Amino acid sequence: MNGRERARQSNGGQAHQRCRILALLILSGLVPVAVALLLALNTAHAQSNLLGNGGFEEGTAGWSQSFGSTFVTVTTPVSSGNWAASLTKSGTTGGVWIYQDVDVFAGATYTLTGWVYKNESAFSRVCLRIEWHDSDWPDLADCLSEDNDFYRPITVVSALSPPDTSKARIKIIAAIRTADAPSPVYFDEVGLTSSMQPVGYFPLLLKNYPS
Ligand SMILES: [Ca+2]
């Protein structure tokens, strides 16, 4: 058995044990304790990546690109796994980007993270951005402008998503300041996580919750 299989078995065992503890708490009449525990477990569970192929191990699948850009996967430099993405555009200056549209909950917290390798002065900066659909609330972005020959993290934190949104566009944008950059910019491990618990999980327990 390799390490990954052992970890999976261990996770399965822990989940089973959590279910037993939860059942015991409910049977003991400790419903508020069970609900609190369930909320905590769901919060941990909800931290999975809402983006598909955020590590670019499946090529460019799941991502769309701005018109005329060159968006391909590479084996070096890579932050994790075997592949990362590279992005550039020839013969022009200005913005170039890739994106994914995702369903979001109103009033939830979202965090966008990614690793960026920018070691080319022809690019002025690289940004991660959350654009809320159907909302006047401002987009959220964080950028990296210095050049380094290693991957650096970018994190975009939203306090709360707008009350009138149900979709967001997640963008990685590179700004070209000098046309025909000798090297592209690279990204890896792009992730979007949320505080929001899965829908439809609570009513069964909450109907007995004392007010
Ligand atoms: Ca990767």
Side-chain angles (χ1 to χ4, degrees):
M1 193 191 304
N2 63 29
R4 187 171 292 189
E5 284 167 338
R6 264 197 301 275
R8 198 181 299 136
Q9 273 204 356
S10 167
N11 284 343
Q14 285 167 7
H16 186 64
Q17 195 170 7
R18 283 200 295 266
C19 285
R20 284 180 59 188
I21 292 169
L22 212 55
L24 279 172
L25 287 170
I26 293 166
L27 289 172
S28 313
L30 298 172
V31 172
V33 179
V35 169
L37 184 62
L38 193 63
L39 287 172
L41 291 174
N42 273 347
T43 300
H45 177 74
Q47 295 304 314
S48 55
N49 194 354
L50 301 173
L51 298 176
N53 190 28
F56 304 101
E57 301 302 305
E58 297 156 44
T60 57
W63 294 92
S64 301
Q65 66 196 87
S66 58
F67 179 76
S69 54
T70 304
F71 168 45
V72 295
T73 50
V74 298
T75 52
T76 184
V78 162
S79 178
S80 76
N82 297 316
W83 296 91
S86 76
L87 181 65
T88 191
K89 185 177 181 178
S90 38
T92 187
T93 58
V96 57
W97 61 88
I98 63 169
Y99 65 91
Q100 275 192 34
D101 291 331
V102 295
D103 293 331
V104 294
F105 292 103
T109 307
Y110 287 89
T111 304
L112 174 63
T113 58
W115 289 79
V116 172
Y117 182 111
K118 171 180 148 23
N119 195 27
E120 172 53 68
S121 61
F123 290 90
S124 56
R125 59 184 189 161
V126 181
C127 303
L128 297 188
R129 189 175 179 96
I130 302 175
E131 298 177 0
W132 306 115
H133 285 208
D134 306 319
S135 173
D136 295 332
W137 284 30
D139 301 333
L140 301 158
D142 199 16
C143 305
L144 187 153
S145 52
E146 308 87 58
D147 285 337
N148 290 107
D149 61 351
F150 49 85
Y151 274 92
R152 295 180 58 195
I154 295 183
T155 301
V156 182
V157 178
S158 162
L160 282 178
S161 54
D164 48 356
T165 194
S166 61
K167 258 190 196 309
R169 177 161 290 186
I170 305 304
K171 260 186 185 174
I172 303 169
I173 310 167
I176 305 171
R177 110 175 100 205
T178 312
D180 298 317
S183 304
V185 290
Y186 304 92
F187 327 112
D188 206 352
E189 294 178 82
V190 186
L192 181 72
T193 55
S194 172
S195 62
M196 182 54 85
Q197 283 79 30
V199 172
Y201 211 88
F202 311 114
L204 192 64
L205 284 170
L206 285 175
K207 69 179 181 183
N208 292 324
Y209 196 95
S211 56

